[in-house]
Amino acid sequence: MPSLGHTLRELRRWSFTGRDEEVAVFRGALGGTGLLFVHGPGGVGKSALLDVFAGIAAEKGLDPVRVDARHLTLGREALPVPAEDAPAVLFLDTYELLEPVDDWVREHYLPSLPESCLVVIAGRRGPGPRWRADPAWRAVMRVLALGNLSEQDGRAYLNAQDVPAEAHDRLLKGSSGHPLTLSMMVDAVRRGITPHTLADLPDLGALLPHLIGEVPSARHRTALEVCALLLVTTEELLRSMTGDDADDVFAWLRAQVFVDESPYGLHPHDVVRDALVADLRWRDPGRYADLYRRKLDVFQAQVRATAAEREQLDLMVRTVALNGARSPFPALASLPPTMRAYADGLRDADRAAIVGMTERWQGPEQAELVVHWMRRRPEDFRVFRTESGEPRGFGAYLDLAEADLGVDPGTDAMWEHAAKNGPTRAGDRVRAWRFFLDRDHGQRPSPSLTLFVAWQMLEIVLIGDDTAWSFVGAFGDDELWAPAMESLGFHGVCTYDVGEARFPVFAHDWRRTGVAEYAEQLHAHQTGRPVLDEVPLSEPEFAQAVRDALRTLHAPELLRENPLLGSRMVRRAASEPTEALRELLTDAAAALKPDLTTLIDRTFLHPAGAQERVAASLHLSFNTYRRHRDKAVAQLAESLWERETGRR
């Protein structure tokens, strides 16, 4: 009768998918001598692969000898020696625990084994430098580095587990193809949970130890959290984030098997990054918010300290790619790598190619407008080039002026919105993202689109105090881009038509929500805190809110619903919001002409009964009183609007 262990082994073999290359290497090594050194991070499937190897060895008539270092007491007598008269395969699993006696294993134990014994070692780290420096071991050793499952193998696993096909993309993206994480997500589906990210896993706390192992101290845990939050981590950035001497913990980070090195610094594997961030957000939201705020400050300082625009854009591209892959918005989640494409200024030789791609994707009317703006504002264009320098796309961020009106319906619509909802002062700039295209993909995902979005984010980070408005009117797909733009604080305000195409316009008024407040709102979105003033009021809406506030000034439950509580001037006040609004209305009324101040005071601030009674006390007919009242309220609303927008 088969044992329970036999049944479990068969079920594991049945659910095993992928690793065809590694299995082929093992089959080729059977019957000979030598060493296969399998390594990879925790949960990547090393033990499962050894199970498959052991089954294949048994089928071939070889004796599989299994040793898991977790169940050993370190010492020379703890490891078995297969019999010399029977060909065997020795499997040493969890080899990272044997690293304290690695020299003895390499120099004494393995050389003492029978020549007919094939050895398979599996551990989190690959063979150390002494293995690789020995020419004899180099000759007999094959190193197999295990990574996450490919998309094809991941889908095969999900099919074998009877997971509905409509859930495959979500589970593969959430797990990054990491076998243990994918398995836990499958278990969650079977328990009636639909995990979109690792944060949705009910057993996330159980997953982390498998991914990262033991963390020596709170300082090391902080370093891990910082490494997960930052795009890349250098010792200098780690020190900036923690305010502590970081050389020892940086060295520890560098030695972790789930942390990779790049020319820019250290970065954890995707699934480890996601798990650490999700766990921190759940376990300590306040700490997460503090570290995230510091991350934003450090990143902005890093960008500003970088002199060349191309290097600044490289920094932003890496950030956009990392955050985009985790974005819930399809427009941002589909941004591909730039494939060595880069942004450069407009050259005369580029013009024909730009006009050609515009005619192809957006028609001759739009192409004529591109010609107009290339002639009028060539410095406002960026060309996205292939590695060889050939134009593959372009974008334009136009600096508008009133003299530009009357040619382009797009920039006319943007300027008109600014004029109606906060006209500019002398020296204010109105900036407009007016054009974007990729030669081969239009406005679909492409390296050019990634560069264009990174350019937009870079301009926001570097925006000056003289910019009053930023408009985005380059995208044609309102349904795709509206959610992403809203999440970035750019609200849909109007549309315009060029030829047969209609373009939505998204806007941000920097005088209403300045750079510091904008960063605070992004921070609030990321950390899950409520955000006030999600949609800035237009001037007519603002005036109506002032009238409503005056009428409900002495009805607290109604005043608390007034949209002015989300205004910039109320948020900046030290008082409680409703009290701050009362103070603002009182101060603004006091600055009016004396007769209007008196009228506002007796009608709204300190009402003296019905308005007919107020009119009589001021020796005015009721019609004259109403005309003066409306004039006073209008001037009060105008003065508050000027304060809110900075317009004079």
Side-chain angles (χ1 to χ4, degrees):
M1 177 181 295
S3 67
L4 176 61
H6 173 79
T7 301
L8 291 173
R9 284 192 296 272
E10 288 303 307
L11 287 172
R12 287 171 185 143
R13 289 186 64 182
W14 170 76
S15 64
F16 184 86
T17 57
R19 309 304 189 196
D20 294 341
E21 182 178 344
E22 291 80 4
V23 169
V25 170
F26 178 75
R27 288 185 182 277
L30 284 175
T33 188
L35 168 65
L36 297 182
F37 205 121
V38 180
H39 70 92
V44 81
K46 299 182 294 296
S47 296
L49 183 61
L50 262 58
D51 286 342
V52 172
F53 285 177
I56 294 172
E59 290 172 0
K60 296 294 185 181
L62 304 175
D63 181 21
V65 180
R66 296 290 299 269
V67 178
D68 191 323
R70 290 175 295 179
H71 309 310
L72 293 177
T73 300
L74 293 184
R76 299 185 180 188
E77 296 77 20
L79 294 171
V81 177
E84 293 194 19
D85 56 348
V89 182
L90 173 64
F91 298 95
L92 296 180
D93 201 358
T94 323
Y95 188 74
E96 63 269 15
L97 297 182
L98 290 176
E99 287 176 356
V101 292
D102 179 67
D103 288 345
W104 174 79
V105 171
R106 184 183 63 258
E107 296 172 5
H108 299 284
Y109 173 64
L110 293 183
S112 72
L113 299 180
E115 186 178 5
S116 60
C117 181
L118 175 66
V119 178
V120 181
I121 289 177
R124 293 195 172 199
R125 282 173 283 274
R130 294 190 180 182
W131 289 90
R132 298 179 183 275
D134 188 324
W137 277 117
R138 285 203 308 269
V140 300
M141 178 174 64
R142 289 286 303 273
V143 179
L144 304 177
L146 286 193
N148 292 345
L149 295 175
S150 67
E151 181 179 347
Q152 180 181 353
D153 290 340
R155 291 188 188 280
Y157 173 78
L158 293 175
N159 284 325
Q161 299 298 311
D162 295 324
V163 175
E166 59 269 20
H168 287 193
D169 287 342
R170 183 169 64 251
L171 299 187
L172 290 172
K173 181 179 180 181
S175 66
S176 299
H178 182 263
L180 177 59
T181 307
L182 187 60
S183 178
M184 293 181 71
M185 285 188 155
V186 169
D187 178 64
V189 169
R190 288 180 173 170
R191 291 158 64 179
I193 301 169
T194 305
H196 290 76
T197 67
L198 291 188
D200 301 325
L201 281 181
D203 301 321
L204 179 60
L207 173 65
L208 261 180
H210 290 282
L211 296 176
I212 64 177
E214 184 178 351
V215 181
S217 72
R219 290 178 65 240
H220 293 80
R221 169 68 70 169
T222 298
L224 271 179
E225 293 164 350
V226 168
C227 191
L229 283 170
L230 291 178
L231 175 64
V232 290
T233 301
T234 63
E235 189 172 326
E236 179 184 10
L237 288 175
L238 184 59
R239 188 162 50 248
S240 299
M241 287 286 291
T242 62
D244 190 13
D245 189 18
D247 55 344
D248 58 332
V249 288
F250 183 80
W252 175 81
L253 270 180
R254 195 175 188 178
Q256 300 310 299
V257 66
F258 53 82
V259 174
D260 289 334
E261 293 189 25
S262 77
Y264 310 103
L266 307 179
H267 59 91
H269 294 177
D270 286 346
V271 71
V272 175
R273 185 194 294 276
D274 292 343
L276 283 167
V277 171
D279 178 69
L280 177 60
R281 291 189 69 166
W282 172 83
R283 178 171 46 83
D284 194 343
R287 178 171 174 75
Y288 170 77
D290 178 60
L291 284 175
Y292 190 85
R293 186 190 302 276
R294 277 189 264 170
K295 164 198 165 179
L296 292 179
D297 293 341
V298 166
F299 179 73
Q300 289 181 4
Q302 187 180 15
V303 170
R304 291 191 178 101
T306 304
E309 182 186 84
R310 183 167 174 178
E311 293 177 8
Q312 290 175 328
L313 196 58
D314 284 345
L315 276 174
M316 198 59 69
V317 161
R318 296 196 296 273
T319 300
V320 164
L322 172 65
N323 294 333
R326 291 157 176 77
S327 174
F329 304 108
L332 300 177
S334 58
L335 296 174
T338 56
M339 306 298 290
R340 297 189 178 181
Y342 65 95
D344 195 11
L346 178 68
R347 306 170 189 169
D348 288 341
D350 302 326
R351 295 173 186 262
I354 289 173
V355 171
M357 68 180 78
T358 306
E359 286 181 342
R360 175 190 173 194
W361 287 103
Q362 295 181 333
E365 296 90 350
Q366 181 86 326
E368 288 179 9
L369 295 173
V370 169
V371 171
H372 166 77
W373 285 111
M374 283 194 295
R375 198 164 46 233
R376 192 168 182 86
R377 295 278 194 281
E379 69 280 4
D380 291 348
F381 281 73
R382 293 293 181 275
V383 178
F384 309 125
R385 303 186 187 279
T386 64
E387 189 177 8
S388 64
E390 179 185 1
R392 67 159 300 151
F394 76 100
Y397 186 35
L398 303 174
D399 210 339
L400 301 184
E402 194 166 5
D404 297 321
L405 297 179
V407 176
D408 182 353
T411 54
D412 286 359
M414 299 177 205
W415 186 272
E416 181 180 356
H417 178 84
K420 286 182 177 179
N421 296 276
T424 57
R425 301 166 295 178
D428 281 348
R429 302 172 74 188
V430 176
R431 311 293 305 279
W433 300 96
R434 176 59 182 88
F435 301 109
F436 163 71
L437 275 177
D438 179 82
R439 176 191 62 197
D440 302 322
H441 302 281
Q443 293 195 343
R444 296 195 302 271
S446 65
S448 296
L449 180 58
T450 303
L451 284 165
F452 184 65
V453 172
W455 182 25
Q456 291 178 294
M457 298 308 298
L458 177 62
E459 290 292 341
I460 289 174
V461 169
L462 300 177
I463 200 162
D465 294 336
D466 58 348
T467 300
W469 287 92
S470 287
F471 290 95
V472 180
F475 296 122
D477 191 336
D478 189 10
E479 184 177 347
L480 175 66
W481 282 100
M485 288 290 105
E486 290 285 339
S487 75
L488 296 172
F490 282 73
H491 309 290
V493 295
C494 62
T495 61
Y496 66 91
D497 297 326
V498 175
E500 298 181 359
R502 171 158 292 182
F503 295 85
V505 175
F506 307 96
H508 187 91
D509 183 348
W510 294 104
R511 296 164 305 175
R512 299 286 304 282
T513 306
V515 175
E517 288 174 297
Y518 178 81
E520 179 64 25
Q521 288 189 2
L522 290 185
H523 175 255
H525 273 298
Q526 182 67 23
T527 55
R529 294 189 289 108
V531 182
L532 292 172
D533 195 21
E534 282 292 309
V535 181
L537 300 173
S538 66
E539 187 170 7
E541 291 168 337
F542 186 93
Q544 182 60 50
V546 171
R547 291 191 289 270
D548 293 341
L550 289 171
R551 283 195 295 266
T552 60
L553 200 58
H554 304 286
E557 69 283 357
L558 296 176
L559 191 61
R560 279 194 289 270
E561 298 177 2
N562 193 288
L564 291 179
L565 296 183
S567 66
R568 188 180 189 184
M569 56 187 179
V570 171
R571 295 200 313 271
R572 288 184 168 183
S575 308
E576 184 272 334
T578 55
E579 185 58 33
L581 181 54
R582 289 191 185 96
E583 293 171 358
L584 285 165
L585 291 168
T586 301
D587 292 345
L592 300 176
K593 291 181 179 180
D595 58 329
L596 299 183
T597 299
T598 300
L599 197 151
I600 291 287
D601 181 72
R602 294 190 185 184
T603 304
F604 301 109
L605 303 182
H606 302 94
Q611 292 192 9
E612 290 83 356
R613 183 176 175 182
V614 175
S617 70
L618 295 172
H619 308 291
L620 298 172
S621 70
F622 190 61
N623 284 340
T624 302
Y625 160 78
R626 288 194 303 177
R627 189 169 63 252
H628 285 283
R629 177 202 63 192
D630 293 345
K631 177 182 177 182
V633 171
Q635 290 192 13
L636 180 71
E638 184 178 353
S639 68
L640 288 171
W641 176 253
E642 290 175 352
R643 178 169 181 172
E644 174 72 3
T645 63
R647 177 173 64 89
R648 291 290 181 269

